Amino acid sequence: MSLRLCVDGDRWRQHLLHTVSARPGIVPVAKGNGYGFGIGSLARRCEWLTTQSEQTGTGIDVLALGTYLELAQAADRFSGDLQVLTPWRPLGAALDVSETLSNRVIHTVSRTEDVRDLTERKPDARFVLEQLTSMRRHGMTRRELVEAARVLDDRRLAGLVGVSMHLPLNTASHVGEVERLLNDVVSTGLPTRTVFVSHLTIGELTRLRSSFPDFVIRPRVGTDLWLGDRTALSVTATVLDVHPLERGEAFGYRGRSMPKSGHLLIVSGGTAHGIGLEAPSGDQSLRSRAATIARSGMDVVGLVRSPFAIDGKQRLFAEPPHMQASMLFLPSGARVPGVGEDIEVRVRFTATTFDRVDIS
Ligand SMILES: *Cc1c(COP(=O)(O)O)cnc(C)c1O
C-alpha cells in the first residue's frame, strides 16, 4: 500500500564496505532526505561501518550532515564527530547547538568575519575553512585564507581541523584545481595539512595523495556510497485500484476523458512522496519528454509520462499526481495488473520520500 524502497541488503552492504575500503579516511555524507534512506538510518549505518573496520581498514570518525537542524537526527545514532556542511553564520540554528553536542560538531567556516565571530562566541570551536572552488557556492579566496590564518595565529586558536573544498560534478578532471587549492593552503601558512574534498574519483584521489604526501586527504562521499550500486535498490508502488475506462468517459478531479479506451490504474505514490515534481529520472530534457508524449499519440490531451513502469514500460499519468496516489492510463491491449501488485517506479532517490525502506 506504499511507496517502498527495497534494498538487497547483502549487495548494498558489500558495496558500502567496498567503497569505504577503496577510500581510506572517507567522510560519509547524510543530508536532506538521507539519500532516500533517512539521515537516522545512515547514521546508524556509519556506526556499523566502524565495526567493520578490521575488514575495510578504515573506521568512520566523522559523519557530514547538511545543516545544523539535521544534527539531532544523527547525534544519538552515530558516536563520532559531526561535520555540518552548510557554512556557519551568526544566525538561527547554528547558534542553538546544545552544550552536550557542541564538542562533537565540526563547523564549516567560509568567511573571515565568521572565523572571528564563531571563535569569539566559542573559543574552543572546531572548524574547517572552506575554500572557494570553481563551483562558486561558498568559500574563501586565497587572500581571505591569508587573513584567516592571521586571525588564528593572533588569537592562538587551535580549532582548525582542516580545509574543505566542494568540487563541481562532471568535469574532465579535478586534479588541476585541487592542486592549485592545496598549494594555496601551503602558501597561506594555514596550520593544517588535512583537506576534506568532494567528488574525487579513486584515480584522482590516488594521484593527489602521491603528489601531496604530506596532506591527509579525506574524501567526502554521499551519492557514490549510499546509491553507488543501483542494482541493490528498487522502488515499488502498489496498485490500489483498477477501473476499465471507455473512450470519452469522465474521470479524475477535473472530469477529463481519454480519446481511447483502456484502464485507469490507481497506484500508491503522489506529490507528498515527490512523485511527478520533475522529469522522470534519466530523462531530464524537455525535448525527449515531448518526444515520448508525441510518440504515445496522447499529446493532444497533454498527458505526461509518469515514473511508474508496468512490465518494463513507463506509463502516462492520467492526470497530475494526487497527494499520496497517482492515476495512470493504461491503453487497451496492455496487460492489466491486479490490485495489490507491486509495480516499478523510477525516481530520483534524493528527491523522494519513501513510506518504507526495507533492507533485507
Ligand atoms: C552534498 C555534498 C557532498 C556529497 O555529495 P554527493 O554528490 O552526494 O557525493 C559533499 N560535499 C558537500 C559540501 C555537499 O554539500
Side-chain angles (χ1 to χ4, degrees):
M1 303 280 280
S2 42
L3 190 71
R4 262 174 85 202
L5 169 57
C6 307
V7 183
D8 177 338
D10 282 340
R11 237 192 148 99
W12 189 58
R13 286 184 290 269
Q14 271 319 111
H15 169 76
L16 299 183
L17 293 170
H18 177 259
T19 305
V20 168
S21 309
R23 292 170 185 76
I26 189 172
V27 175
V29 176
K31 63 183 178 190
N33 71 341
Y35 293 82
F37 295 87
I39 290 174
S41 163
L42 298 186
R44 266 195 306 268
R45 193 56 56 178
C46 288
E47 199 69 16
W48 172 78
L49 278 167
T50 292
T51 67
Q52 306 298 305
S53 60
E54 227 166 83
Q55 181 182 345
T56 61
T58 191
I60 308 296
D61 59 342
V62 186
L63 166 63
L65 301 167
T67 67
Y68 285 91
L69 285 172
E70 290 168 351
L71 285 169
Q73 295 173 59
D76 44 12
R77 297 179 170 105
F78 172 73
S79 57
D81 286 339
L82 300 164
Q83 186 171 37
V84 179
L85 297 173
T86 301
W88 185 88
R89 295 285 182 268
L91 306 166
L95 303 180
D96 293 336
V97 179
S98 72
E99 222 23 67
T100 46
L101 247 183
S102 92
N103 59 356
R104 288 171 61 200
V105 171
I106 300 173
H107 304 272
T108 298
V109 178
S110 70
R111 303 186 306 170
T112 316
E113 64 256 50
D114 292 336
V115 178
R116 290 200 190 88
D117 197 339
L118 170 64
T119 55
E120 259 160 32
R121 289 167 194 262
K122 209 180 170 321
D124 60 346
R126 290 184 303 147
F127 54 92
V128 294
L129 292 178
E130 177 145 10
Q131 286 181 281
L132 192 66
T133 68
S134 55
M135 280 273 292
R136 300 201 156 262
R137 189 165 76 173
H138 305 293
M140 299 162 91
T141 60
R142 186 182 175 286
R143 189 139 43 86
E144 290 166 320
L145 286 180
V146 170
E147 209 183 319
R150 195 173 317 126
V151 173
L152 298 184
D153 194 36
D154 286 351
R155 301 190 181 181
R156 303 180 187 288
L157 294 169
L160 181 67
V161 171
V163 293
S164 173
M165 43 184 92
H166 191 43
L167 300 167
L169 292 159
N170 304 328
T171 52
S173 170
H174 296 111
V175 171
E177 179 168 11
V178 176
E179 285 179 348
R180 195 161 36 72
L181 292 165
L182 290 182
N183 284 326
D184 281 352
V185 174
V186 175
S187 69
T188 52
L190 279 171
T192 186
R193 289 293 177 270
T194 300
V195 56
F196 296 81
V197 203
S198 60
H199 299 152
L200 288 181
T201 63
I202 301 265
E204 291 171 335
L205 199 52
T206 309
R207 257 181 80 184
L208 287 164
R209 280 179 170 152
S210 72
S211 41
F212 289 83
D214 55 332
F215 270 84
V216 174
I217 302 179
R218 314 248 0 218
R220 213 168 33 211
V221 191
T223 306
D224 287 350
L225 177 64
W226 309 119
L227 304 173
D229 184 355
R230 294 297 164 107
T231 63
L233 310 171
S234 60
V235 178
T236 62
T238 312
V239 176
L240 301 174
D241 238 323
V242 181
H243 306 294
L245 190 69
E246 291 303 319
R247 177 171 168 242
E249 201 178 359
F251 65 89
Y253 278 128
R254 292 168 190 81
R256 81 199 293 186
S257 61
M258 290 294 171
K260 34 183 183 174
S261 65
H263 283 83
L264 208 52
L265 247 53
I266 322 302
V267 299
S268 54
T271 53
H273 303 92
I275 293 287
L277 302 180
E278 59 168 344
S281 62
D283 186 10
Q284 308 290 357
S285 86
L286 256 177
R287 186 200 283 195
S288 72
R289 198 155 47 137
T292 313
I293 296 165
R295 263 199 309 278
S296 73
M298 299 299 283
D299 51 333
V300 278
V301 281
L303 294 194
V304 171
R305 192 159 73 126
S306 83
F308 299 93
I310 297 157
D311 299 329
K313 189 166 165 40
Q314 265 173 279
R315 290 303 179 180
L316 300 172
F317 280 120
E319 73 166 0
H322 304 171
M323 193 149 158
Q324 293 177 309
S326 293
M327 296 179 97
L328 311 180
F329 179 68
L330 198 60
S332 39
R335 184 188 71 85
V336 183
V339 169
E341 190 174 326
D342 282 341
I343 62 171
E344 177 203 351
V345 197
R346 300 176 187 171
V347 293
R348 225 172 107 186
F349 295 92
T350 51
T352 307
T353 308
F354 299 102
D355 295 312
R356 299 181 52 157
V357 180
D358 293 324
I359 303 175
S360 64

mmCIF file of all heavy atoms in Angstrom, residues 29 31 35 85 130 137 166 169 198-199 220-224, ligand 1:
data_model
loop_
_atom_site.group_PDB
_atom_site.id
_atom_site.type_symbol
_atom_site.label_atom_id
_atom_site.label_comp_id
_atom_site.label_asym_id
_atom_site.label_seq_id
_atom_site.Cartn_x
_atom_site.Cartn_y
_atom_site.Cartn_z
ATOM 1 N N VAL A 29 28.504 11.291 3.798
ATOM 2 C CA VAL A 29 27.598 12.439 3.862
ATOM 3 C C VAL A 29 26.167 11.921 3.992
ATOM 4 O O VAL A 29 25.754 11.030 3.248
ATOM 5 C CB VAL A 29 27.713 13.311 2.589
ATOM 6 C CG1 VAL A 29 26.701 14.457 2.622
ATOM 7 C CG2 VAL A 29 29.122 13.859 2.428
ATOM 8 N N LYS A 31 22.418 13.801 4.328
ATOM 9 C CA LYS A 31 21.726 15.092 4.443
ATOM 10 C C LYS A 31 20.384 15.006 3.736
ATOM 11 O O LYS A 31 20.103 14.027 3.048
ATOM 12 C CB LYS A 31 22.588 16.205 3.845
ATOM 13 C CG LYS A 31 22.855 16.036 2.359
ATOM 14 C CD LYS A 31 23.765 17.137 1.843
ATOM 15 C CE LYS A 31 24.052 16.930 0.365
ATOM 16 N NZ LYS A 31 25.101 17.794 -0.148
ATOM 17 N N TYR A 35 19.358 10.586 1.343
ATOM 18 C CA TYR A 35 19.505 9.850 0.084
ATOM 19 C C TYR A 35 18.393 8.792 -0.078
ATOM 20 O O TYR A 35 18.609 7.742 -0.681
ATOM 21 C CB TYR A 35 20.904 9.213 -0.004
ATOM 22 C CG TYR A 35 21.998 10.268 -0.123
ATOM 23 C CD1 TYR A 35 22.494 10.925 0.997
ATOM 24 C CD2 TYR A 35 22.499 10.647 -1.371
ATOM 25 C CE1 TYR A 35 23.467 11.908 0.888
ATOM 26 C CE2 TYR A 35 23.479 11.624 -1.497
ATOM 27 C CZ TYR A 35 23.956 12.248 -0.359
ATOM 28 O OH TYR A 35 24.920 13.231 -0.480
ATOM 29 N N LEU A 85 27.910 20.809 6.811
ATOM 30 C CA LEU A 85 28.421 21.308 5.530
ATOM 31 C C LEU A 85 27.962 22.725 5.211
ATOM 32 O O LEU A 85 28.661 23.469 4.544
ATOM 33 C CB LEU A 85 28.016 20.364 4.397
ATOM 34 C CG LEU A 85 28.588 18.940 4.506
ATOM 35 C CD1 LEU A 85 27.994 18.036 3.442
ATOM 36 C CD2 LEU A 85 30.102 18.981 4.382
ATOM 37 N N GLU A 130 36.415 26.668 4.480
ATOM 38 C CA GLU A 130 36.032 26.275 3.122
ATOM 39 C C GLU A 130 36.717 27.175 2.106
ATOM 40 O O GLU A 130 36.733 28.392 2.228
ATOM 41 C CB GLU A 130 34.510 26.347 2.959
ATOM 42 C CG GLU A 130 34.084 26.010 1.543
ATOM 43 C CD GLU A 130 32.775 25.256 1.439
ATOM 44 O OE1 GLU A 130 32.072 25.142 2.447
ATOM 45 O OE2 GLU A 130 32.479 24.802 0.331
ATOM 46 N N ARG A 137 30.115 28.401 -4.830
ATOM 47 C CA ARG A 137 28.944 28.368 -3.957
ATOM 48 C C ARG A 137 29.293 29.112 -2.666
ATOM 49 O O ARG A 137 28.849 30.216 -2.452
ATOM 50 C CB ARG A 137 28.508 26.926 -3.692
ATOM 51 C CG ARG A 137 27.173 26.868 -2.966
ATOM 52 C CD ARG A 137 26.531 25.510 -3.003
ATOM 53 N NE ARG A 137 27.160 24.562 -2.089
ATOM 54 C CZ ARG A 137 26.695 23.345 -1.834
ATOM 55 N NH1 ARG A 137 25.596 22.931 -2.444
ATOM 56 N NH2 ARG A 137 27.297 22.531 -1.007
ATOM 57 N N HIS A 166 34.497 21.963 -2.142
ATOM 58 C CA HIS A 166 33.359 21.315 -2.798
ATOM 59 C C HIS A 166 33.515 21.518 -4.294
ATOM 60 O O HIS A 166 33.498 22.645 -4.778
ATOM 61 C CB HIS A 166 32.061 21.943 -2.292
ATOM 62 C CG HIS A 166 30.835 21.175 -2.691
ATOM 63 N ND1 HIS A 166 30.759 19.792 -2.639
ATOM 64 C CD2 HIS A 166 29.632 21.594 -3.135
ATOM 65 C CE1 HIS A 166 29.554 19.406 -3.046
ATOM 66 N NE2 HIS A 166 28.856 20.470 -3.345
ATOM 67 N N LEU A 169 30.477 18.598 -10.324
ATOM 68 C CA LEU A 169 30.362 17.252 -10.896
ATOM 69 C C LEU A 169 30.763 17.322 -12.369
ATOM 70 O O LEU A 169 30.838 18.406 -12.944
ATOM 71 C CB LEU A 169 28.900 16.798 -10.840
ATOM 72 C CG LEU A 169 28.293 16.532 -9.466
ATOM 73 C CD1 LEU A 169 26.783 16.612 -9.554
ATOM 74 C CD2 LEU A 169 28.737 15.178 -8.951
ATOM 75 N N SER A 198 35.103 16.787 -1.923
ATOM 76 C CA SER A 198 34.006 16.015 -2.518
ATOM 77 C C SER A 198 34.329 15.678 -3.972
ATOM 78 O O SER A 198 35.192 16.305 -4.594
ATOM 79 C CB SER A 198 32.718 16.839 -2.466
ATOM 80 O OG SER A 198 32.893 18.037 -3.187
ATOM 81 N N HIS A 199 33.629 14.688 -4.476
ATOM 82 C CA HIS A 199 33.587 14.393 -5.906
ATOM 83 C C HIS A 199 34.925 14.082 -6.561
ATOM 84 O O HIS A 199 35.165 14.473 -7.703
ATOM 85 C CB HIS A 199 32.860 15.531 -6.659
ATOM 86 C CG HIS A 199 31.446 15.688 -6.209
ATOM 87 N ND1 HIS A 199 30.764 16.879 -6.260
ATOM 88 C CD2 HIS A 199 30.586 14.799 -5.658
ATOM 89 C CE1 HIS A 199 29.546 16.717 -5.758
ATOM 90 N NE2 HIS A 199 29.420 15.456 -5.388
ATOM 91 N N ARG A 220 34.890 13.143 0.801
ATOM 92 C CA ARG A 220 33.542 13.256 1.357
ATOM 93 C C ARG A 220 32.590 12.680 0.322
ATOM 94 O O ARG A 220 32.553 13.156 -0.813
ATOM 95 C CB ARG A 220 33.266 14.745 1.560
ATOM 96 C CG ARG A 220 32.419 15.085 2.712
ATOM 97 C CD ARG A 220 32.438 16.555 2.992
ATOM 98 N NE ARG A 220 32.582 17.337 1.789
ATOM 99 C CZ ARG A 220 33.202 18.508 1.744
ATOM 100 N NH1 ARG A 220 33.719 19.042 2.815
ATOM 101 N NH2 ARG A 220 33.294 19.164 0.608
ATOM 102 N N VAL A 221 31.860 11.639 0.694
ATOM 103 C CA VAL A 221 31.070 10.917 -0.308
ATOM 104 C C VAL A 221 29.648 10.656 0.169
ATOM 105 O O VAL A 221 29.441 10.156 1.273
ATOM 106 C CB VAL A 221 31.722 9.545 -0.652
ATOM 107 C CG1 VAL A 221 31.058 8.938 -1.877
ATOM 108 C CG2 VAL A 221 33.219 9.673 -0.863
ATOM 109 N N GLY A 222 28.694 11.019 -0.662
ATOM 110 C CA GLY A 222 27.295 10.707 -0.380
ATOM 111 C C GLY A 222 26.758 9.744 -1.428
ATOM 112 O O GLY A 222 26.677 8.528 -1.218
ATOM 113 N N THR A 223 26.438 10.288 -2.583
ATOM 114 C CA THR A 223 25.788 9.512 -3.642
ATOM 115 C C THR A 223 26.519 8.212 -3.994
ATOM 116 O O THR A 223 25.901 7.150 -4.066
ATOM 117 C CB THR A 223 25.654 10.397 -4.907
ATOM 118 O OG1 THR A 223 24.980 11.595 -4.529
ATOM 119 C CG2 THR A 223 24.858 9.699 -5.986
ATOM 120 N N ASP A 224 27.821 8.289 -4.213
ATOM 121 C CA ASP A 224 28.548 7.082 -4.640
ATOM 122 C C ASP A 224 28.601 6.022 -3.550
ATOM 123 O O ASP A 224 28.787 4.842 -3.828
ATOM 124 C CB ASP A 224 29.983 7.431 -5.071
ATOM 125 C CG ASP A 224 29.999 8.153 -6.409
ATOM 126 O OD1 ASP A 224 28.940 8.213 -7.070
ATOM 127 O OD2 ASP A 224 31.067 8.666 -6.789
HETATM 128 C C1 LIG B 1 26.148 17.058 -0.717
HETATM 129 C C2 LIG B 1 27.589 17.343 -0.517
HETATM 130 C C3 LIG B 1 28.551 16.349 -0.675
HETATM 131 C C4 LIG B 1 28.202 14.960 -1.118
HETATM 132 O O1 LIG B 1 27.816 14.981 -2.465
HETATM 133 P P1 LIG B 1 27.470 13.644 -3.256
HETATM 134 O O2 LIG B 1 27.397 14.091 -4.661
HETATM 135 O O3 LIG B 1 26.176 13.139 -2.746
HETATM 136 O O4 LIG B 1 28.598 12.695 -3.002
HETATM 137 C C5 LIG B 1 29.870 16.671 -0.408
HETATM 138 N N1 LIG B 1 30.218 17.909 -0.029
HETATM 139 C C6 LIG B 1 29.314 18.902 0.133
HETATM 140 C C7 LIG B 1 29.777 20.256 0.561
HETATM 141 C C8 LIG B 1 27.983 18.669 -0.117
HETATM 142 O O5 LIG B 1 27.089 19.655 0.029
#
